[in-house]
Amino acid sequence: MDKPLTVGILGAGTMGTGIATVTARAGHRTILRDLTEAAVQAGVGRVRQFLDKSVELGKMPAEQRDAAAAGLTGTTGLDDLAECDIVVEAVFEDVALKAELFGRLDDICAPTTLFHTNTSTLSVTAIAAGSSRPERVVGTHYCNPAPLMRLVEVARARQTSDEAYHATTEFLAGLGKVTVTTRDTPGFIVNRFLIPFENDCIRALEAGLGTVESIDQAVTRGLGHPMGPFTLLDIVGLEIHRAVSLSLYEQLRDARFAPPPLVEQMVAAGHLGRKTGRGFYTYDEPRMFGT
Amino acid sequence: MTTGPIAVLGFGTMGSGIAQVCAQAGFDVLVLDTGEEELARGRERMAAFLAGAADRGKITETDKAETLARVSTTTDVAALAGADLVIEAAVEDAEVKRTLLAEVAAVVGERAIIATNTSALCVTELAAAVPAPGRVAGLHFFNPAPLMPLVEVVRALQSADGTVQALMEFAGRLGKEPIEVKDRPGFLVNRLLMPYLNHVVQSFDDGLATARDIDVAVELGLGHPLGPLALLDLIGLDVHEHATQSAYEDTRDTRFAPPPLVSRMVAAGRLGRKTNSGFRTPAEEEDR
């Protein structure tokens, strides 16, 4: 890395803390921001926990952990992001909220600050429109869990400048990420193909073309995917899958993105997947993935 | 199930792979093809595959020799008389398969099970060409058959329970993982794969991202062993066009219809790896 930057992360949820882990680990001064002190502290704690675990597993030297932990702070105040070279927003998937946050940062950050949005389904162009310097806004979609997954999808808004785009891919390469460049279109690349595929699997189940088990087996053993669709959906959570599907469907008006009736029924019944002990499969102990 | 040899009809890519899998599981195999040249080519292909496996230490030289020794060949349909399992792996042409299956059915006993390895045709329609069609079902291997663990056992409308059951057991004896599927276009795996690949091609044609970036996103983001466009190059654009066209005609579901870019690539002779021209071939420099 040429020189450590100051990176602000908005939102201390799963993605926000994951991204904060990545930037802190790479040696950047990282400021994690959420609305309440409790949320901030929990987020900072999760980053530290991940770093400790990495040292324990021999994946990271203790000095790197110490440096990363020392460079990581938390705040509830947006003003504390004034010195950031890059601000990555990873807040709730709501265009208005994201657009408004960048608008407020216009008055706080330097004109050269890059604004990155980690949206997975929304229009980067619409989010950029909330800023008075939309040419500085770039979509950077990390995969979950961000510290482990190498891929970042980079989406240029219609307004994004070449300079902001190139600075972004360079920054991400410095984080050890592999980037792909995609048009600013709902779902980018990964979700654009994953969601209809999963919905097709659900429809095949509804149509009686196979069972939960045989369809998972067809996909893992016939196509070599690392996980069958129903195993994966149970981990993601049916209500999350429903929300992502609906968001993409509303933007694209393409029926293959629409959640099939079985999803609605499972959500209504509270069969959300592992977290409730029952989804496509049943589980003895409800547990969350990755925690 | 079987005491006599297993008859494999066709010594092409799939036929030689299936014959090899059967022979490696200890069965005697008799392969039928139209001419000595085809048979020699099929045997060569199998020998080359086994030699590769022996070089990588996956099998011993003895395994290789024994496997090849279990496979005999013929151009004479009458020679199949003693087989009690037939696996048809001829070209994906309904007329050719119907004629061949009827010929073979007339030679083998009424108790012999007749399986077709078709991937894109209707098993029920093929079964209708055979007297006593209860003995017919699909046995769909994936390419390359010796390596791919899944086998779809396809239940035609006429398939007897005993036929399906016997094929499920047989696939298990080959060391494969069988799943029973309905005789609907694409069965299960290809039914899920075809609309996905079409969607990718159309999105690529619409300028979503470069072919490389699409493949990298899917490989790293979803952990698939091969990106969709590299997979299409491997399958062959002509094979994909034929399979999707067939599924589309059967369902009139536009998700199965081959995207215009696929038809044009086929028209231009850009069929993928086999012509060294496709979405990802020849390899771009950045691919290394």
Side-chain angles (χ1 to χ4, degrees):
Chain A
M1 187 176 53
D2 300 334
K3 120 181 147 31
L5 303 175
T6 300
V7 181
I9 314 282
L10 302 179
T14 306
M15 291 311 297
T17 54
I19 297 166
T21 305
V22 172
T23 57
R25 184 171 66 183
H28 297 299
R29 195 181 150 223
T30 299
I31 308 170
L32 186 59
R33 189 261 183 184
D34 209 318
L35 294 175
T36 67
E37 194 57 40
V40 170
Q41 286 318 314
V44 168
R46 277 204 300 277
V47 176
R48 294 226 164 98
Q49 208 178 0
F50 186 93
L51 296 170
D52 288 344
K53 192 83 188 167
S54 302
V55 174
E56 220 175 277
L57 294 172
K59 307 264 185 202
M60 180 189 282
E63 306 83 70
Q64 190 186 349
R65 183 260 325 263
D66 296 342
L72 172 71
T73 54
T75 183
T76 56
L78 219 47
D79 291 340
D80 288 335
L81 303 181
E83 283 169 29
C84 287
D85 300 292
I86 299 177
V87 177
V88 186
E89 77 72 21
V91 302
F92 187 71
E93 281 284 273
D94 179 325
V95 176
L97 173 65
K98 289 172 190 274
E100 189 244 8
L101 273 170
F102 283 149
R104 284 168 66 192
L105 287 170
D106 286 343
D107 301 328
I108 295 168
C109 298
T112 51
T113 300
L114 282 171
F115 292 159
H116 287 172
T117 168
N118 181 53
T119 183
S120 57
T121 55
L122 303 173
S123 160
V124 178
T125 297
I127 293 167
S131 168
S132 59
R133 35 178 130 126
E135 70 281 358
R136 306 296 297 162
V137 177
V138 187
T140 58
H141 179 223
Y142 294 74
C143 298
N144 187 22
L148 303 179
M149 300 285 285
R150 287 164 66 210
L151 182 74
V152 176
E153 295 178 299
V154 178
R156 297 183 64 153
R158 294 187 74 87
Q159 308 95 323
T160 305
S161 72
D162 286 347
E163 194 272 320
Y165 163 74
H166 288 300
T168 297
T169 54
E170 232 171 86
F171 167 69
L172 290 167
L175 296 180
K177 296 298 182 188
V178 175
T179 58
V180 294
T181 301
T182 158
R183 273 172 59 170
D184 176 26
T185 181
F188 307 131
I189 301 172
V190 171
N191 282 322
R192 181 186 184 85
F193 299 136
L194 175 64
I195 299 297
F197 181 79
E198 290 178 327
N199 285 337
D200 277 351
C201 291
I202 296 166
R203 289 186 195 103
L205 179 67
E206 287 179 328
L209 292 174
T211 61
V212 167
E213 290 82 6
S214 76
I215 293 171
D216 267 2
Q217 204 179 351
V219 169
T220 54
R221 307 303 276 164
L223 297 176
H225 296 189
M227 211 182 271
F230 300 122
T231 304
L232 178 59
L233 284 163
D234 274 359
I235 289 170
V236 169
L238 273 292
E239 85 291 12
I240 305 277
H241 177 73
R242 177 181 178 275
V244 173
S245 295
L246 267 183
S247 168
L248 294 176
Y249 174 65
E250 279 162 11
Q251 295 175 78
L252 292 160
R253 300 288 165 189
D254 180 340
R256 66 183 115 194
F257 290 94
L262 180 58
V263 173
E264 302 288 354
Q265 288 186 7
M266 290 175 70
V267 171
H271 298 167
L272 306 183
R274 281 186 176 246
K275 70 182 91 175
T276 61
R278 181 166 174 189
F280 290 102
Y281 294 95
T282 49
Y283 304 88
D284 293 338
E285 266 175 63
R287 60 199 144 141
M288 295 288 285
F289 180 69
T291 59
Chain B
M1 161 173 70
T2 91
T3 46
I6 293 167
V8 174
L9 314 183
F11 219 169
T13 307
M14 289 310 295
S16 66
I18 294 166
Q20 182 188 323
V21 170
C22 294
Q24 281 184 303
F27 294 102
D28 289 324
V29 183
L30 181 55
V31 188
L32 173 86
D33 210 320
T34 47
E36 291 300 336
E37 210 176 293
E38 285 77 12
L39 290 174
R41 226 181 298 137
R43 182 174 278 282
E44 244 168 68
R45 186 182 290 117
M46 189 190 300
F49 196 100
L50 289 166
D55 286 348
R56 288 192 305 275
K58 305 274 183 196
I59 59 169
T60 65
E61 287 294 329
T62 318
D63 293 335
K64 182 185 122 184
E66 284 177 1
T67 299
L68 285 168
R70 282 190 205 108
V71 179
S72 45
T73 55
T74 183
T75 56
D76 179 11
V77 174
L80 307 179
D84 40 21
L85 171 62
V86 177
I87 304 173
E88 174 277 309
V91 291
E92 283 284 271
D93 176 317
E95 192 49 48
V96 170
K97 284 187 194 281
R98 272 196 300 264
T99 308
L100 178 61
L101 288 171
E103 271 175 32
V104 173
V107 168
V108 298
E110 282 256 321
R111 294 164 52 90
I113 286 178
I114 300 175
T116 170
N117 179 55
T118 185
S119 59
L121 301 173
C122 169
V123 178
T124 298
E125 196 189 313
L126 297 177
V130 174
R135 58 183 158 158
V136 179
L139 188 66
H140 181 218
F141 291 80
F142 293 82
N143 188 24
L147 302 181
M148 296 295 285
L150 192 78
V151 170
E152 292 178 320
V153 175
V154 187
R155 183 188 281 270
L157 288 191
Q158 308 96 323
S159 302
D161 287 344
T163 302
V164 171
Q165 216 161 34
L167 286 173
M168 292 288 286
E169 277 164 29
F170 173 70
R173 287 178 67 185
L174 296 181
K176 299 297 183 188
E177 299 176 27
I179 55 173
E180 186 188 324
V181 297
K182 283 187 181 178
D183 178 28
R184 297 291 183 275
F187 310 134
L188 190 48
V189 170
N190 285 328
R191 182 192 173 95
L192 297 171
L193 181 63
M194 287 188 288
Y196 157 71
L197 292 177
N198 285 343
H199 190 199
V200 170
V201 171
Q202 191 57 54
S203 299
F204 167 70
D205 200 20
D206 293 343
L208 174 68
T210 64
R212 175 194 169 275
D213 278 6
I214 288 175
D215 277 359
V216 168
V218 169
E219 286 165 17
L220 293 184
L222 298 175
H224 294 187
L226 205 56
L229 296 171
L231 178 59
L232 272 165
D233 282 351
L234 187 65
I235 292 170
L237 275 290
D238 51 339
V239 172
H240 180 71
E241 187 193 33
H242 178 262
T244 49
Q245 187 64 39
S246 161
Y248 172 64
E249 281 167 14
D250 216 351
T251 58
R252 298 293 160 188
D253 180 338
T254 53
R255 290 174 310 158
F256 291 108
L261 179 59
V262 168
S263 312
R264 277 148 188 78
M265 286 175 73
V266 172
R270 294 185 192 166
L271 306 183
R273 283 199 196 175
K274 64 183 127 187
T275 59
N276 194 31
S277 58
F279 291 107
R280 301 292 307 284
T281 45
E284 307 144 49
E285 247 173 58
E286 59 186 329
D287 285 350
R288 281 177 295 275

